Amino acid sequence: MMRSPDPACSRAVLIGTAEYPEDALLPGVPAVRNNVRDLKRLLTEGRPGAFSPACTCTVLDPATPRDLGLPLLEAARQAEDVFLVYYAGHGLIGHERRELYLGLSKSVSEAPSFTAFPFQGIREAFRATPARNRVLILDCCFSGRAIAGGLSGTYEPLIDQMEITGTYTLTSAAANEPARFQDGERHTAFTGELLLALRDGIPSTSSAEVTLGALFRHLKRVLPAKGLPEPQQCGTDTAEFLILTRPRPRARSRRVTEADAGGPSGTREGLLARWDLGRRLGEEGRTGEAMRLLNEVVPDLTRMLGPDDPATLVGRVNLAYWTGREGDTDEALRLSTAVVGDMTRVLGPHHRATLAGQSQLAHWVGESGRHHEALSLTTSVLTDLVRVLGPDDRETLIGRARLARWTGEASDPAAAARLSGELVPDLSRVLGAEDRETFTGRMNLAQWTGRAGGTKRAARLLTDLVPDVSWALGADDRHTLLSRSRMAHWSGAAGRRRRARRLFAAAVPDLERVLGPDDRETLLARSQLAHWTGETGQAAEAVRLFSLLVSDIAWVLGSDDRATLVSRARLAHWTAVQGEVGDAVRQFHAVLPDLNRLLGPDAPETVENRVLLAFWRKKADRRLKEQIFYGTGPRGASP
């Protein structure tokens, strides 16, 4: 019974009205734009998409009935298999006959029959189409009065108006309930749940396909459980068995296991499968497992295939990379140096694998603290990457990202921001807007923009990025979590201290759950949470959080890590703010020599904490004058 639309013979019209400048009683709903764009993406992508992109029309913010009606009627006449119409926005009710109107950007709530699109137009389009099945999805409610937190309701049931044979109607709410939206959310409540089901599937069903009927039953269950209105449906014939999407498989829904390394372990195919498994483990964020597995595989590759086999050499490069990602930069540098020399000898200096290895070697040189040397090496290898592989090759684009990184680390964050700004459009064009490298490029652009002084713009860039990466990769993906953490940091740096604390308070539990309590990013977020807790006036709580953190961060990252030193210095500062100035000064005196030794006397962290020490010393000298001059023991009589 289940079937997919014929993409060549089906048409979809996706309509959204987000802005209503003509009437203050009709608040704007910015999420409607994302509703339409993301629904189009899901309907047209997939294995294959249910609808052809060329046969899917989006109508955003139509101003007049003509703007909506003409594309609707054209698509209706062209459809032969399935005709789908989606609308999100305000619903208005006529004064005389209580008929439904769809809100337009120039609609006025008191005059819907003159300024909005009559629902009768939808009915006429459905009657005019030769399509076997007609599908209507409405995310609106049906009154001209806006109420807090949603779109106001009606007393007229919509589904009674859709008796056309072969039609399936799905609405976001009952006749007397408002639809819901919330400022700051990517989607309206109903469409958000609908899109999640279309994208990720329905957990309670064994079928990979999402039919209209299954979608309704899922929404009817999950929406009321969240305190949202219960959706309504009206279907005739077999329309409810239409498959709108086949959810895309996602790495987060299934962890890679040893069982994925198919093939006999003692054969070339088995070794290569284990090598590929290691790569996938690393890309999932499980860098420790990737490193350990590749540590086992590389000797086997060397023994079975020989030390000069390309697969062995690539395996060694991968081992070096995940070793560094696991935190052992020195070992990653040693491994990369050795394998790049062998690759140059065996494959030649201009082989793709050799160039990728050289780029990676430059990266680990930079990670070891030699930023200017890394910049020079990256500049050199990037020239070869462009010449040999071309400007649009993935390795070339990654090389450009590394060039921006080391330019910034070598004390020119403004140039790094400029390079990142030039790179992001190329990443999006070549790799796609939802590729991980594109998201990383956008994150780096925000970082360097902030470090160059544009803190407010950095916060805005990350505010735009977080919904996109969350939608594309999932809420628990590492990129999503890191983007949230960066957004929190730059929000605070831009002056929104309470927002920064709230964002970090929400991010830390997710980082701990997904990446683990000992992941570097988790520990950095905990440090930021403690800092912004202090910045919002809770010095004692900041001291408590830093006291819990410092031993953890020193144990995991090492006592000489930059994050460890910064956390120790921040603990000293908030200890002083809390009132224990003497203890704070002693802590500053203990950490400053380490900052000088490891980061250098001119590093921002060193300079900042040298200034703080001077500030708190003055206060301590006044507050503890008696103790400093006369000591703490009993004063004896003068001789």
Side-chain angles (χ1 to χ4, degrees):
M1 293 287 287
M2 292 191 301
R3 73 176 188 91
S4 298
D6 180 346
C9 300
S10 298
R11 298 292 184 271
V13 182
L14 313 180
I15 309 155
T17 306
E19 300 296 334
Y20 302 83
E22 303 290 330
D23 192 338
L25 292 177
L26 298 175
V29 192
V32 162
R33 294 194 182 95
N34 290 327
N35 285 2
V36 171
R37 291 166 182 159
D38 291 337
L39 179 56
K40 179 179 180 180
R41 183 182 308 160
L42 287 176
L43 293 178
T44 58
E45 295 178 0
R47 304 177 282 119
F51 291 84
S52 164
C55 299
T56 302
C57 171
T58 59
V59 183
L60 283 170
D61 290 319
T64 67
R66 176 189 177 92
D67 296 337
L68 192 160
L70 290 184
L72 179 70
L73 186 58
E74 180 182 6
R77 289 171 174 168
Q78 294 173 351
E80 299 175 7
D81 182 28
V82 175
F83 179 46
L84 182 146
V85 176
Y86 167 88
Y87 171 82
H90 284 289
L92 311 178
I93 294 298
H95 298 299
E96 294 293 330
R97 300 173 57 189
R98 309 299 295 168
E99 67 273 31
L100 172 67
Y101 290 85
L102 305 183
L104 306 174
S105 64
K106 290 190 175 182
S107 290
V108 176
S109 57
E110 291 300 322
S113 60
F114 297 99
T115 61
F117 187 84
F119 184 70
Q120 178 64 24
I122 300 286
R123 298 181 73 246
E124 290 180 6
F126 273 37
R127 289 187 181 278
T129 182
R132 294 170 54 196
N133 290 114
R134 307 151 181 91
V135 178
L136 173 65
I137 302 175
L138 280 181
D139 186 1
C140 66
C141 44
F142 317 111
S143 172
R145 292 289 188 265
I147 62 172
L151 313 177
S152 52
T154 184
Y155 302 100
E156 180 90 353
L158 169 68
I159 58 176
D160 290 348
Q161 304 178 33
M162 291 302 297
E163 72 282 1
I164 306 167
T165 301
T167 297
Y168 182 91
T169 305
L170 176 62
T171 67
S172 60
N176 59 349
E177 287 186 282
R180 303 289 177 84
F181 68 92
Q182 184 174 351
D183 289 342
E185 294 293 333
R186 182 177 179 87
H187 305 112
T188 57
F190 169 78
T191 297
E193 290 294 336
L194 180 145
L195 292 174
L196 284 173
L198 292 178
R199 187 193 70 177
D200 296 340
I202 299 173
S204 60
T205 63
S206 58
S207 174
E209 291 82 5
V210 178
T211 65
L212 284 170
L215 180 63
F216 168 72
R217 290 187 289 274
H218 171 70
L219 296 176
K220 188 177 177 67
R221 182 173 62 254
V222 300
L223 288 169
K226 295 183 177 182
L228 298 169
E230 184 174 308
Q232 305 291 302
Q233 74 163 352
C234 177
T236 60
D237 297 340
T238 59
E240 72 166 301
F241 297 107
L242 279 172
I243 299 168
L244 292 186
T245 62
R246 291 181 172 87
R248 292 173 291 178
R250 293 179 174 269
R252 71 178 190 280
S253 64
R254 176 180 178 274
R255 290 169 63 89
V256 175
T257 67
E258 290 285 347
D260 293 312
S265 59
T267 65
R268 178 187 178 94
E269 291 72 19
L271 286 175
L272 294 179
R274 291 175 66 205
W275 163 78
D276 185 63
L277 171 62
R279 176 187 60 80
R280 286 184 286 157
L281 286 168
E283 290 176 352
E284 271 195 8
R286 298 155 66 185
T287 53
E289 295 173 63
M291 184 187 70
R292 286 188 289 274
L293 181 57
L294 289 169
N295 261 319
E296 298 171 0
V297 170
V298 167
D300 292 339
L301 286 169
T302 304
R303 184 179 63 257
M304 176 170 287
L305 307 181
D308 291 346
D309 188 274
T312 303
L313 296 171
V314 172
R316 290 172 60 191
V317 168
N318 290 161
L319 174 59
Y321 181 73
W322 296 118
T323 298
R325 285 287 301 273
E326 185 63 6
D328 195 343
T329 301
D330 291 340
E331 180 65 6
L333 182 58
R334 184 188 71 80
L335 292 171
S336 294
T337 302
V339 71
V340 167
D342 290 340
M343 295 176 91
T344 303
R345 172 179 57 83
V346 174
L347 304 176
H350 299 139
H351 189 277
R352 178 186 184 86
T354 305
L355 292 173
Q358 290 173 351
S359 180
Q360 182 176 305
L361 173 59
H363 174 75
W364 295 121
V365 167
E367 289 288 355
S368 69
R370 292 142 58 188
H371 299 158
H372 289 279
E373 184 180 351
L375 176 59
S376 177
L377 290 170
T378 302
T379 302
S380 177
V381 74
L382 183 58
T383 301
D384 291 335
L385 285 167
V386 172
R387 178 173 54 83
V388 177
L389 304 182
D392 286 348
D393 188 88
R394 189 181 190 92
E395 289 295 340
T396 303
L397 296 171
I398 292 173
R400 288 175 60 189
R402 287 170 171 165
L403 177 66
R405 161 84 186 279
W406 301 122
T407 298
E409 297 291 358
S411 302
D412 197 349
R418 177 180 57 80
L419 291 170
S420 297
E422 295 169 353
L423 173 62
V424 166
D426 291 338
L427 288 168
S428 182
R429 172 178 57 84
V430 177
L431 305 181
E434 294 187 354
D435 188 89
R436 289 178 180 275
E437 291 296 338
T438 304
F439 287 136
T440 300
R442 291 175 62 186
M443 196 187 311
N444 290 338
L445 171 60
Q447 286 289 98
W448 291 118
T449 298
R451 288 180 62 173
T455 54
K456 290 184 178 179
R457 181 164 185 261
R460 288 195 300 270
L461 288 170
L462 287 159
T463 300
D464 290 339
L465 172 62
V466 167
D468 291 342
V469 70
S470 177
W471 174 246
L473 303 181
D476 286 349
D477 188 86
R478 186 180 185 92
H479 278 66
T480 304
L481 297 172
L482 298 192
S483 298
R484 288 173 56 192
S485 188
R486 304 295 189 271
M487 178 178 65
H489 169 74
W490 290 114
S491 294
R496 302 186 66 182
R497 300 175 181 180
R498 295 188 184 280
R499 173 176 167 80
R501 183 182 181 277
R502 288 197 303 271
L503 289 170
F504 274 118
V508 166
D510 290 338
L511 287 162
E512 290 178 333
R513 173 176 55 82
V514 177
L515 304 185
D518 289 345
D519 187 89
R520 181 182 184 87
E521 293 295 337
T522 304
L523 296 168
L524 293 177
R526 287 178 59 193
S527 179
Q528 290 278 351
L529 172 60
H531 173 71
W532 294 112
T533 297
E535 289 287 349
T536 55
Q538 303 177 58
E541 179 64 7
V543 169
R544 186 186 73 82
L545 292 172
F546 271 121
S547 298
L548 294 172
L549 172 66
V550 165
S551 61
D552 289 342
I553 204 167
W555 174 257
V556 176
L557 303 182
S559 58
D560 289 348
D561 189 90
R562 180 188 296 261
T564 304
L565 299 177
V566 169
S567 294
R568 288 173 56 196
R570 284 177 171 172
L571 173 59
H573 171 68
W574 292 113
T575 298
V577 174
Q578 184 182 250
E580 299 175 13
V581 182
D583 286 346
V585 169
R586 286 187 285 272
Q587 291 176 38
F588 273 122
H589 275 292
V591 74
L592 266 171
D594 292 335
L595 287 167
N596 274 296
R597 173 174 57 87
L598 295 165
L599 306 185
D602 296 328
E605 295 89 346
T606 307
V607 173
E608 176 187 3
N609 286 290
R610 191 185 301 126
V611 171
L612 284 173
L613 171 59
F615 174 80
W616 290 115
R617 264 291 305 271
K618 289 182 180 179
K619 289 187 174 291
D621 287 350
R622 292 195 299 269
R623 186 177 302 180
L624 304 176
K625 181 177 180 179
E626 290 287 319
Q627 179 179 320
I628 292 170
F629 285 176
Y630 299 105
T632 57
R635 301 190 192 100
S638 299

